[in-house]
Amino acid sequence: MITKIILEDTGQDFLWLRVDEGGLVVEAGPFQNEIWKDAYIPLWIVKVGQLCPIHKYPHIIMGFLKHKVVSIRKEKEPKK
């Protein structure tokens, strides 16, 4: 199962993150996928209306994005 986190639009180039069950970002979009892919999001503390927690070594260590979470939903993984 993949979790899709939708972020508030404050003018940034990415509006959503697709995260696997282990918390690893597998895709970000619509832009900046190459920047956010492989970041870690602790899914158990992500809450709608709060800033999105994220870890992207070496630039962000136990930090938060400057964008609030608008929605969190489960998606089926695409067939490979």
Side-chain angles (χ1 to χ4, degrees):
M1 228 11 146
I2 294 288
T3 300
K4 187 169 186 178
I5 299 170
I6 309 289
L7 303 169
E8 70 179 332
D9 186 353
T10 58
Q12 75 276 21
D13 289 337
F14 64 104
L15 299 173
W16 51 264
L17 302 162
R18 294 180 74 237
V19 182
D20 71 12
E21 292 176 353
L24 193 66
V25 175
V26 294
E27 185 180 15
F31 303 103
Q32 295 191 355
N33 182 58
E34 65 283 348
I35 294 171
W36 299 108
K37 187 175 182 195
D38 298 327
Y40 173 74
I41 295 179
L43 290 173
W44 65 91
I45 62 172
V46 176
K47 303 263 189 279
V48 172
Q50 295 184 359
L51 297 177
C52 185
I54 194 163
H55 178 82
K56 178 68 172 169
Y57 185 81
H59 306 292
I60 303 171
I61 299 172
M62 296 185 339
F64 292 86
L65 295 174
K66 295 179 182 179
H67 318 290
K68 291 182 182 176
V69 175
V70 173
S71 72
I72 304 165
R73 67 175 186 238
K74 298 286 185 185
E75 296 182 339
K76 290 183 180 178
E77 292 185 57
K79 293 182 181 178
K80 295 179 180 179

